Amino acid sequence: MFGFLKKLFGPGVDLAEKVREGAIILDVRSPGEYASGHVKGSKNIPLGNIQSKMSTIKKWNKPVITCCASGMRSGSAASVLNRNGVEAYNAGPWQKANRLV
């Protein structure tokens, strides 16, 4: 059980260091949720659009740190990105990701 939670919420890497190295913070909430508050400088692609935006994301050629409201959607997004060859990590809630910058 802990391994599952760790995989979902704890990537085991220093995400702040990844941000300093140029990682992109990707908020996968809806545009309305994003408009109500988000990490400065983050990009917004809702979870349902990740697959269709994969070529754009790959062109960034940088690690991606996903965030959302609770960590569930961002966990799913990070999994999809990783399966498609993108280095991606789940930061969980956007407020937690906000502390990385």
Side-chain angles (χ1 to χ4, degrees):
M1 179 67 166
F2 179 74
F4 171 75
L5 292 174
K6 183 174 172 69
K7 183 174 181 175
L8 196 60
F9 295 107
V13 298
D14 184 344
L15 295 182
E17 180 66 24
K18 289 286 182 187
V19 170
R20 286 190 295 275
E21 293 170 355
I24 303 287
I25 296 180
L26 177 62
D27 193 316
V28 299
R29 297 176 297 154
S30 71
E33 289 173 291
Y34 184 78
S36 70
H38 58 269
V39 178
K40 185 178 180 184
S42 64
K43 298 187 182 293
N44 178 224
I45 301 175
L47 176 60
N49 298 350
I50 293 291
Q51 197 64 52
S52 66
K53 298 287 188 180
M54 193 62 65
S55 63
T56 299
I57 295 167
K58 285 183 174 188
K59 284 179 191 166
W60 297 342
N61 201 30
K62 294 179 185 243
V64 175
I65 298 172
T66 59
C67 63
C68 64
S70 68
M72 295 303 287
R73 286 176 284 179
S74 56
S76 295
S79 293
V80 169
L81 292 168
N82 282 313
R83 281 196 305 270
N84 282 275
V86 176
E87 179 185 352
Y89 305 94
N90 178 17
W94 76 267
Q95 296 92 337
K96 182 178 171 193
N98 200 34
R99 294 195 294 267
L100 300 173
V101 296

